[in-house]
Amino acid sequence: MGKFEFIQLYLKEKGVSAQLTKPYLFSISKLTKKNLKPQVFESPLKLFFLQTVFGSITWGSLMFLLIWQFNNVTIYNLYGALFFGVATGFILALNVATTQKRLDLNNWDQWLEENHFN
């Protein structure tokens, strides 16, 4: 078991949800072999904007492939994709902020030193 997997298990035991123990773009971090910090240590505002952008693009692309290509794409369809991104970004940011406040998690480097993971 590597250091990153051990940190994920440790955070799960402390009450952090499994989703928040992984980096934001977990699949990309696996490809680049970079150990990014878990989402619970990221800024909620940063995660809100990232999820808004990627959520809107993902939802819009999926809807275009499944439905919109057969119909005319309207501005309301694009508003719907943007709303999806904003809503999921807000939910993710709220989840991270409440977990950070509940467990008093602020700084990734400081947390690593306090828990002897360096």
Side-chain angles (χ1 to χ4, degrees), residues 14-92:
K14 293 292 183 184
V16 178
S17 70
Q19 175 195 0
L20 296 181
T21 61
K22 298 175 184 172
Y24 178 69
L25 295 173
F26 187 64
S27 58
I28 292 177
S29 67
K30 275 187 154 183
L31 292 174
T32 60
K33 303 291 186 207
K34 265 181 116 173
N35 283 335
L36 303 174
K37 59 185 171 181
Q39 290 179 36
V40 74
F41 290 101
E42 295 282 354
S43 164
L45 189 60
K46 175 185 171 184
L47 288 174
F48 171 76
F49 285 117
L50 283 173
Q51 181 62 31
T52 297
V53 170
F54 289 122
S56 297
I57 290 172
T58 302
W59 181 259
S61 300
L62 182 67
M63 292 303 290
F64 179 78
L65 290 173
L66 296 176
I67 297 171
W68 297 345
Q69 68 179 342
F70 304 114
N71 301 332
N72 293 333
V73 178
T74 65
I75 192 71
Y76 298 112
N77 297 129
L78 299 177
Y79 286 152
L82 183 63
F83 175 76
F84 177 81
V86 169
T88 57
F90 179 73
I91 291 168
L92 178 61

